[in-house]
Amino acid sequence: MLKKLSVSAAAVGALVASAVAVLSPTAASAVSAPLSNARIATHFDLAEGQTPENVALAPGGSAYVTFAKGRQIAKVSPKGTVRIVATLPAPADGGVHTPALGFPLTAGIVRAHDGILYFLYATGTPDLTGVWRLRPGGEPQRIAALPADGLPNGLALDARTHTLYVADSVRGTIWSVPTRGGTPTDWSTAPELAPAGFLGANGLKVHDGAVWATNLDKGTVLRIPVLGSGRAGHIQTRATGLPGIDDIAFTGHGNQLLAALDGPNEVALVEPDGSRSTVLTAADGLQNPTSIALRGHTVYVLNAGWLTGKDPNLVLAHRAR
């Protein structure tokens, strides 16, 4: 990605993404196949810390969003109504010792079939950093502590094995944690996950019998098979040359995926052979895209405006078959 500018700008450009809703769409411009009809669907308030970091889609068209700097989880309705469902406790020192960033970060989020939300919080303090859970109608609860000198960022859920995978962007580690909570396991510490100056392992997805990860600094997409024993197999580099890559989403066509490129303000379509094409740009409303999700033929691109310093938003686009 970009060089580290400041704790609040490029420092965060690695993480981000969020918000889902449909308000009065604002027309945007040119896109390439297989995406079309891109438009800004909703805007968020940068001054209020509504810097979307990650999103978990829910039934009925709603979505749950983490606001990175707001320390909040929000539910966003299909009409764009935003309701805060949880605010995480602030660290005693204000989060100034949060690795790489210097402020507390609310990061990856996933939703289980029973409606339970799991999400990540990094504060640089041992009492708060880790994996958190929010049951419907309940209060947020930490279920697994993670090292305070790390930065838990990307989160993925394997519903089949009830396993959560956590990408630590500073320690270059993927942790595994049972959904019931407990002691994390350093599932993979492969050197390909390590940072190269700022942040390493970032976005995570479980797909086709493997955990897929991005490395922000190295611009790569990595695949780690999940062996029958549950252990990590040999890591494979599946794509390179993707500067500032944050999150990925699979299109439903094998290993073809969409990648959010934070610094370049682009979304790229990455083929199974690693070749890529640009399908969305700043002209379509992107403001440092940090996360991608798909619901049917709709693509959600979540933008935090970390480096542009304006208009965190949600861009929607139509995906062809």
Side-chain angles (χ1 to χ4, degrees):
M1 172 165 167
L2 304 179
K3 292 183 178 179
K4 184 176 179 181
L5 300 177
S6 71
V7 162
S8 62
V12 177
L15 321 154
V16 273
S18 97
V20 173
V22 182
L23 294 177
S24 301
T26 301
S29 61
V31 283
S32 304
L35 302 187
S36 61
N37 300 322
R39 72 245 187 229
I40 297 175
T42 192
H43 301 267
F44 296 91
D45 191 336
L46 189 63
E48 293 297 320
Q50 293 184 351
T51 45
E53 162 57 18
N54 206 213
V55 63
L57 302 183
S62 295
Y64 291 93
V65 172
T66 53
F67 287 139
K69 296 192 76 172
R71 309 191 333 269
Q72 293 176 324
I73 309 299
K75 184 177 183 180
V76 186
S77 77
K79 293 184 178 180
T81 303
V82 178
R83 179 172 65 89
I84 303 302
V85 297
T87 299
L88 299 181
D93 63 2
V96 295
H97 297 296
T98 305
L101 303 180
F103 63 84
L105 175 81
T106 316
I109 186 170
V110 295
R111 181 186 180 278
H113 293 307
D114 57 7
I116 295 177
L117 300 175
Y118 300 91
F119 52 93
L120 302 175
Y121 190 35
T123 65
T125 61
D127 60 324
L128 295 174
T129 300
V131 182
W132 290 65
R133 177 177 63 202
L134 182 65
R135 298 183 185 277
E139 296 293 329
Q141 172 190 17
R142 189 173 71 159
I143 62 170
L146 289 169
D149 63 353
L151 193 76
N153 188 354
L155 182 64
L157 169 64
D158 188 335
R160 181 181 59 86
T161 62
H162 307 287
T163 302
L164 296 162
Y165 294 96
V166 179
D168 189 321
S169 297
V170 166
R171 294 172 65 100
T173 297
I174 295 178
W175 302 94
S176 65
V177 180
T179 55
R180 66 178 181 276
T183 304
T185 299
D186 52 350
W187 187 74
S188 179
T189 56
E192 290 88 344
L193 301 170
F198 182 33
L199 298 178
N202 195 344
L204 281 188
K205 289 292 185 294
V206 173
H207 170 74
D208 190 27
V211 174
W212 293 67
T214 68
N215 185 309
L216 181 86
D217 284 349
K218 298 176 182 178
T220 53
V221 176
L222 308 165
R223 181 182 186 271
I224 309 175
V226 180
L227 303 181
S229 62
R231 293 182 298 107
H234 179 69
I235 194 167
Q236 307 155 3
T237 300
R238 301 303 293 266
T240 60
L242 296 162
I245 187 171
D246 195 325
D247 195 24
I248 57 174
F250 289 91
T251 65
H253 296 287
N255 292 333
Q256 185 191 67
L257 58 88
L258 292 166
L261 307 185
D262 192 337
N265 264 350
E266 294 178 358
V267 169
L269 178 69
V270 182
E271 300 293 347
D273 64 1
S275 61
R276 56 162 286 194
S277 58
T278 299
V279 293
L280 291 174
T281 70
D284 302 296
L286 301 188
Q287 299 283 344
N288 304 132
T290 55
S291 185
I292 292 186
L294 279 73
R295 191 199 306 270
H297 292 289
T298 301
V299 177
Y300 297 74
V301 184
L302 311 159
N303 300 274
W306 291 114
L307 303 180
T308 63
K310 61 181 181 180
D311 193 23
N313 65 48
L314 165 69
V315 169
L316 299 180
H318 178 75
R319 177 177 65 93
R321 292 182 181 274

